[in-house]
Amino acid sequence: MIDYTQGSNKQYHTQLSESDVGEYVILTGDPGRVKDIASYLDNAELVANNREYVTYTGYLNGVLCSVISTGIGGPSTAIAIEELVQLGCHTFLRVGTCGGMYLEVQGGDIVIASGAIRQDGTTREYAPLEFPAVPHYDVLSAQVHSAKTLHLSYHVGVVQSKDSFFGQHAPESMPVCSELENKWDAYCKLDCLASEMESSTVFIVSQTRHVRSGAMFLCLANQEREKTGLTNVQNHDLHPLMQCAVSTIKELITNDKAENH
């Protein structure tokens, strides 16, 4: 592969070097959320800011960890993971927002993905569509345990990963309206919990590169509850989700240390 960095020893898109990041990484879409998540780390510092990729690095349980933004959607998320794996990162936790689909998922609830519908384009360049997009069991288990310990309202199940935000929210405006609506209806009948835009990519790229990953989300609201006349509160408070994510990484660090001794 061409060295587009011209020997800088930094990854081209993220502008990171090996000494900039820890082996455990929290991924979030919005660059504006990175500093907030990093505030839960000890001695966190900004180490890079390039394109959509803002990176802070600090310590959890005495272990170097990083928080990086990926932008929206699969392509930029895949690039981030690929470059971070090149730097030695081995555990990734996606933290973001979603829209509920299953009627029991309400605004403010945490959704933990046990699998993702691959309605995206990026993962088709990694694995055949028959191959499932699923998290690593270690990460999934730590997420569930952390949510229980923090007494959060949470759900575990399949989520939809798509490429078009407006394909979800304004399907009637699309030339492929019937296809979008038919698939959405099918996913709802299959008890899909929520819709978001990155987890399938996180799972498939991680599986391809033989590293661990998981994904968890704050449900902002649920359009299916709105359709049926149920209460549909909006909630944009990300701090419980951030606390759960940090708790998850701490548990993984503790478990990994125990296994390696």
Side-chain angles (χ1 to χ4, degrees):
M1 182 173 173
I2 296 172
D3 179 11
Y4 292 106
T5 70
Q6 298 180 311
S8 72
N9 292 321
K10 290 183 178 291
Q11 296 297 309
Y12 179 67
H13 300 90
T14 58
Q15 286 295 294
L16 291 166
S17 60
E18 198 168 318
S19 61
D20 290 328
V21 292
E23 296 177 341
Y24 301 81
V25 181
I26 295 175
L27 305 169
T28 189
D30 185 354
R33 294 175 186 157
V34 176
K35 188 175 182 179
D36 285 343
I37 299 173
S39 69
Y40 290 91
L41 278 59
D42 297 326
N43 303 316
E45 294 183 354
L46 175 69
V47 294
N49 185 346
N50 190 57
R51 303 189 185 207
E52 58 264 71
Y53 305 109
V54 175
T55 307
Y56 276 72
T57 294
Y59 292 86
L60 289 174
N61 290 0
V63 174
L64 200 64
C65 300
S66 297
V67 184
I68 182 170
S69 56
T70 62
I72 297 174
S76 58
T77 299
I79 287 170
I81 296 173
E82 291 277 18
E83 293 194 354
L84 289 163
V85 169
Q86 290 290 324
L87 299 175
C89 304
H90 59 59
T91 301
F92 299 91
L93 180 57
R94 159 77 184 154
V95 176
T97 57
C98 67
M101 296 172 65
Y102 188 56
L103 290 180
E104 292 183 14
V105 177
Q106 301 189 53
D109 289 353
I110 304 299
V111 173
I112 298 171
S114 61
I117 297 165
R118 292 173 56 194
Q119 197 173 348
D120 70 274
T122 302
T123 64
R124 295 165 191 248
E125 298 190 28
Y126 281 84
L129 277 175
E130 297 85 357
F131 192 84
V134 295
H136 193 281
Y137 180 78
D138 291 350
V139 185
L140 178 61
S141 297
Q143 289 177 91
V144 173
H145 184 257
S146 294
K148 285 181 179 178
T149 301
L150 293 170
H151 305 292
L152 299 176
S153 175
Y154 73 94
H155 310 265
V156 182
V158 173
V159 300
Q160 177 212 25
S161 289
K162 81 282 188 182
D163 278 345
S164 173
F165 179 85
F166 292 99
Q168 172 190 345
H169 292 283
E172 69 283 351
S173 69
M174 304 296 184
V176 293
C177 169
S178 59
E179 179 182 343
L180 293 174
E181 291 182 336
N182 286 340
K183 285 186 176 180
W184 182 270
D185 288 344
Y187 301 154
C188 287
K189 289 174 181 175
L190 290 162
D191 294 340
C192 181
L193 294 183
S195 180
E196 53 79 51
M197 300 182 70
E198 290 84 19
S199 61
S200 59
T201 298
V202 172
F203 297 156
I204 291 293
V205 177
S206 296
Q207 288 167 310
T208 301
R209 300 303 174 213
H210 312 295
V211 293
R212 304 185 300 188
S213 67
M216 60 199 316
F217 311 93
L218 169 71
C219 176
L220 298 179
N222 187 329
Q223 66 190 65
E224 291 303 307
R225 289 181 64 85
E226 187 90 10
K227 287 178 186 176
T228 57
L230 295 170
T231 56
N232 184 30
V233 297
Q234 287 195 37
N235 188 310
H236 297 265
D237 181 8
L238 288 161
H239 289 95
L241 177 70
M242 294 176 185
Q243 291 171 350
C244 193
V246 169
S247 175
T248 297
I249 296 296
K250 286 182 175 180
E251 180 166 332
L252 287 166
I253 291 171
T254 299
N255 294 343
D256 291 346
K257 285 181 177 178
E259 286 186 10
N260 293 329
H261 283 81

